[in-house]
Amino acid sequence: MDKIVIDGGRRLEGEICIAGAKNAALPAFAATILCPGKFLLTNVPNLKDVDTIIALLKEMGAVINKEGPNAVSVDTERLAHCEVSYDLVRTMRASCLVLGPLLARMGKSRISLPGGCAIGERPINLHLKGFQGMGANITLEEGYVNADAPDGLVGHKIYLDLVTVTGTENLMMAATGAKGTTILENAAREPEVVFLADMLNKMGADVHGAGTDKITINGGKPLKAVEMEIIPDRVETGTFMAAAAITAGQLKLVGCNPAHLEAVTMKLAEIGCKITEGSDWLEITGPARPKPVEIETNPYPSFPTDMQAQVMAVLSVADGTSVITESVFENRYMHVAEMRRMGANILLKGRNAFVHGVGSLSGAQVMATDLRASASLIVAGLAAKGKTHVRRVYHLDRGYERIEEKLRMVGANIERKPDRKRD
Ligand code: EPZ
């Protein structure tokens, strides 16, 4: 197991290339199940979660090859079976994204029900309810979901009780294989949903309204394998913006899409950052000291829950008290206890976090608990006086490609080391 050690207090300055988005790559790999053929996915980030979905598709019989540093071919001509094991789902909840495509292509699927995770219970009841609406039989046994539609899926009007990103993606993919029209009401509007709809339409599907809360899919169109470039990762972009903000640094982030993170940009500007942007780049200069703000996380285009921990790190050294409300997940404050070890002064009351800014943080041994929490501890360590040891960085490797290398390139004193201490 590795740890990352940061000797904080250095101002970051320079240019960072943004990788493809984890949360777009995962549904793109799942969509290759929808029809036989050889797909080529480019701008694919090198991440543990991508390795996991590749392993999952290979287990099903897909032939997958690396065609370049960030290019992957996926041949789904012959998919042998449609079971997804507990071990794979336990490793990555987003494995549930294969449910919809398997139902559309093979009329059945058996997948382990995802357990909870650090940030919340995260059920998939809305996914399953939608599949049932399309005529699938859903049974649960021994922790597995058995889904089958012997007569094929039928288009249906589905109202999603909650805005769910992978729920919207799963049902959109299933609906491409259903007879007739499916309407998803209260659909997620994330850029990754729009990206997936673009990919499905390029494959020959007929999807309208992605990016709004009502998506219409006219199913049954013949689909073909395509080449698709993964969109940039808006959360990686936001994470490096937070790094600039907390170190009073100046970073140029290239290969990003500023239009995908306006809520984050607006909030960081309120915090005192100066931000200029082009179509595929942005430049951010952090303030001498962050200003306190109020933040509430909500589905896109509101402030994203995936940026809550990283911006909390910035606010932990702000000149005043900030209030953060986490409205998406019920337990996404696991990073708070670790930040307190670094001297942060944060009070939690239910979904609210009152962040009383301190003059500076101090380096400490801290433990990563989930992907974005680990990123927030890196951000905090960049500004802390002394050394911060972030342990269990396997969480980080799920969603960030070579983050320590990218930060070292812009002046951080950061390195990855084997973690010999027992937890
Ligand atoms: C996606 O997760 C992202 N993951 C998450 O990113 C992100 O935090 C989340 O959307 C919210 O933006 C991927 O895209 C692979 P949800 P997802 O379904 O789809 C409840 C990261 O760090 N819900 O939108 O699993 C759920 O419990 C990850 O990259 C149900 O109750 O999230 C949550 O409270 C973390 N029943 C809320 O809805 C359901 O059937 C939103 O969850 C589905 C969801």
Side-chain angles (χ1 to χ4, degrees):
M1 210 179 294
D2 287 347
K3 65 177 176 180
I4 284 185
V5 182
I6 307 146
D7 195 349
R10 299 165 74 121
R11 182 175 180 276
L12 301 188
E13 193 164 0
E15 187 169 296
I16 294 177
C17 286
I18 296 301
K22 167 178 83 79
N23 291 349
L26 297 177
F29 275 98
T32 64
I33 294 170
L34 282 167
C35 67
K38 187 167 181 178
F39 294 76
L40 180 67
L41 301 179
T42 59
N43 198 34
V44 177
N46 292 301
L47 303 171
K48 283 272 174 288
D49 275 8
V50 170
D51 296 343
T52 301
I53 199 153
I54 285 174
L56 191 161
L57 290 174
K58 280 181 174 172
E59 218 179 78
M60 283 184 208
V63 176
I64 300 182
N65 290 302
K66 268 268 194 193
E67 306 289 346
N70 295 97
V72 180
S73 63
V74 184
D75 188 336
T76 54
E77 196 62 38
R78 268 174 298 287
L79 282 188
H81 73 289
C82 53
E83 174 160 333
V84 183
S85 69
Y86 173 67
D87 282 348
L88 272 170
V89 176
R90 186 169 58 87
T91 314
M92 184 183 69
R93 320 174 33 68
S95 310
C96 70
L97 278 169
V98 304
L99 256 173
L102 284 171
L103 270 177
R105 174 155 174 195
M106 304 171 95
K108 63 179 180 177
S109 163
R110 178 173 153 79
I111 176 170
S112 165
L113 196 60
C117 80
I119 64 177
E121 183 209 347
R122 299 181 74 185
I124 59 165
N125 57 311
L126 301 179
H127 302 227
L128 302 179
K129 189 174 150 194
F131 295 137
Q132 279 174 317
M134 284 194 230
N137 306 311
I138 303 280
T139 53
L140 296 183
E141 57 163 356
E142 296 167 7
Y144 275 76
V145 173
N146 292 308
D148 75 319
D151 306 324
L153 296 171
V154 179
H156 186 65
K157 182 166 185 175
I158 298 168
Y159 178 80
L160 291 161
D161 300 340
L162 279 172
V163 175
T164 160
V165 176
T166 49
T168 301
E169 292 166 347
N170 229 339
L171 293 167
M172 197 161 65
M173 289 188 281
T176 63
K179 290 187 233 23
T181 297
T182 298
I183 295 175
L184 301 180
E185 294 276 12
N186 199 25
R189 299 160 57 186
E190 271 68 3
E192 293 76 23
V193 171
V194 176
F195 160 80
L196 179 62
D198 291 345
M199 177 173 177
L200 295 174
N201 284 332
K202 191 172 181 181
M203 290 166 63
D206 185 7
V207 182
H208 303 275
T212 73
D213 61 358
K214 179 175 177 180
I215 301 176
T216 303
I217 305 103
N218 299 309
K221 310 290 182 197
L223 303 180
K224 65 183 188 325
V226 294
E227 182 172 325
M228 200 71 189
E229 179 180 328
I230 306 298
I231 58 171
D233 194 317
R234 60 193 169 97
V235 184
E236 186 195 23
T237 307
T239 302
F240 288 124
M241 292 172 82
I246 202 170
T247 61
Q250 183 169 4
L251 291 178
K252 182 170 187 181
L253 306 178
V254 296
C256 66
N257 186 340
H260 288 168
L261 67 166
E262 286 182 355
V264 174
T265 302
M266 299 296 283
K267 201 47 76 175
L268 286 169
E270 229 183 292
I271 287 172
C273 297
K274 298 279 174 279
I275 300 160
T276 53
E277 50 188 60
S279 58
D280 63 352
W281 61 270
L282 69 82
E283 194 150 43
I284 178 167
T285 304
R289 184 169 186 191
K291 296 188 190 96
V293 294
E294 292 188 12
I295 294 176
E296 178 167 357
T297 68
N298 271 301
Y300 193 88
S302 296
F303 190 92
T305 173
D306 290 349
M307 277 301 303
Q308 178 257 108
Q310 300 92 306
V311 176
M312 183 187 281
V314 178
L315 296 173
S316 73
V317 291
D319 181 14
T321 295
S322 303
V323 184
I324 297 176
T325 305
E326 171 54 59
S327 297
V328 177
F329 290 112
E330 67 270 26
N331 187 35
R332 203 168 198 174
Y333 285 135
M334 303 286 281
H335 43 284
V336 170
E338 301 303 312
M339 287 184 185
R340 287 184 184 133
R341 293 175 46 73
M342 301 175 73
N345 179 0
I346 302 167
L347 172 66
L348 292 181
K349 271 188 173 302
R351 295 252 177 160
N352 296 319
F354 297 88
V355 185
H356 306 294
V358 295
S360 64
L361 298 174
S362 323
Q365 294 259 7
V366 290
M367 196 74 84
T369 50
D370 58 86
L371 169 54
R372 305 305 174 184
S374 40
S376 74
L377 296 172
I378 299 274
V379 170
L382 289 169
K385 288 192 168 67
K387 285 192 174 184
T388 298
H389 298 244
V390 182
R391 307 177 62 196
R392 292 190 188 166
V393 289
Y394 57 85
H395 288 293
L396 198 66
D397 296 334
R398 294 190 46 187
Y400 291 91
E401 187 178 329
R402 299 178 296 108
I403 192 169
E404 72 274 12
E405 286 174 38
K406 292 186 175 184
L407 287 169
R408 194 164 40 243
M409 297 284 283
V410 293
N413 184 335
I414 181 171
E415 58 181 328
R416 181 184 288 256
K417 289 181 168 178
D419 189 357
R420 303 197 196 293
K421 284 209 177 91
R422 302 193 63 72
D423 276 353

